[in-house]
Amino acid sequence: DAKTTQPPSMDCAEGRAANLPCNHSTISGNEYVYWYRQIHSQGPQYIIHGLKNNETNEMASLIITEDRKSSTLILPHATLRDTAVYYCIVRVGRSSTNAGKSTFGDGTTLTVKP
Amino acid sequence: GAVVSQHPSWVICKSGTSVKIECRSLDFQATTMFWYRQFPKQSLMLMATSNEGSKATYEQGVEKDKFLINHASLTLSTLTVTSAHPEDSSFYICSASGAVREKLFFGSGTQLSVL
């Protein structure tokens, strides 16, 4: 799986948008970009994923650059409960026998402040 | 959405005993399950990949005789830490994916403390 690079930490004011960047310059054509977050002492929680197009769901938006070498996770209105470690992962999709195998980097610790 | 249930949430055991952790997919058939471990303030480290009905594939440096993985059905995988020692104390997390799903869902994790 491709390696990802994320800033180690970010702060965000409550109610403001949180924009978390991720670089994945060695991503392959069949690899998806996934975002998860982990709140202390819990399992990672799925947020969103995409291949080429931008995606939006009830939790967040995912913006993927045209060359797919980087992406940004956007939490539109951050709350204190969004404080967590956010992981950006690239991995092959369901068509591969290794579908689901994920290599976690160090992630970004997002702290939402009142 | 899909749910992966992991049990127990935490376990304390004496050195030398074996501990079994269960991971169940509740509303989908998990053709593949993954086991991770996580030390404090560190990221998740993949230990092994298990496919239903076949032997698990272990990552480099993970002792297969120490960490026994069984994936006997499409909804259940177990990780047994055999002859646990204090250095095995860690947060263990499972994840599961199905043949028709792109998403990967994680269990809530098991905190193992070996005394």
Side-chain angles (χ1 to χ4, degrees), chain B:
Chain B
V3 176
V4 174
S5 174
Q6 188 172 340
H7 178 81
S9 299
W10 56 270
V11 58
I12 301 173
C13 69
K14 293 182 178 180
S15 184
T17 61
S18 294
V19 175
K20 179 184 286 188
I21 302 170
E22 292 187 348
C23 182
R24 294 179 184 272
S25 57
L26 298 184
D27 64 349
F28 68 100
Q29 294 184 328
T31 51
T32 307
M33 287 188 172
F34 304 87
W35 288 94
Y36 296 81
R37 67 186 298 180
Q38 184 177 33
F39 292 108
K41 298 189 183 300
Q42 294 187 21
S43 187
L44 284 75
M45 182 185 73
L46 180 66
M47 298 174 65
T49 302
S50 72
N51 293 295
E52 185 266 338
S54 62
K55 290 184 178 180
T57 302
Y58 291 81
E59 296 298 305
Q60 189 174 7
V62 178
E63 301 175 58
K64 62 180 182 180
D65 295 329
K66 174 76 171 176
F67 300 99
L68 301 179
I69 292 172
N70 183 278
H71 192 166
S73 77
L74 286 172
T75 60
L76 174 65
S77 176
T78 60
L79 167 68
T80 301
V81 183
T82 62
S83 186
H85 288 92
E87 59 266 28
D88 298 323
S89 298
S90 186
F91 192 56
Y92 292 87
I93 307 169
C94 71
S95 65
S97 66
V100 294
R101 291 173 181 262
E102 294 172 347
K103 297 179 183 178
L104 182 67
F105 294 93
F106 288 82
S108 55
T110 298
Q111 181 63 53
L112 171 63
S113 297
V114 184
L115 304 178

Side-chain angles (χ1 to χ4, degrees), chain A residues 8 19 21 26 42 49 67-69 107:
Chain A
N19 298 288
T26 59
Q42 297 182 25
H49 77 285
D67 62 7
R68 302 209 323 124
K69 293 185 177 182

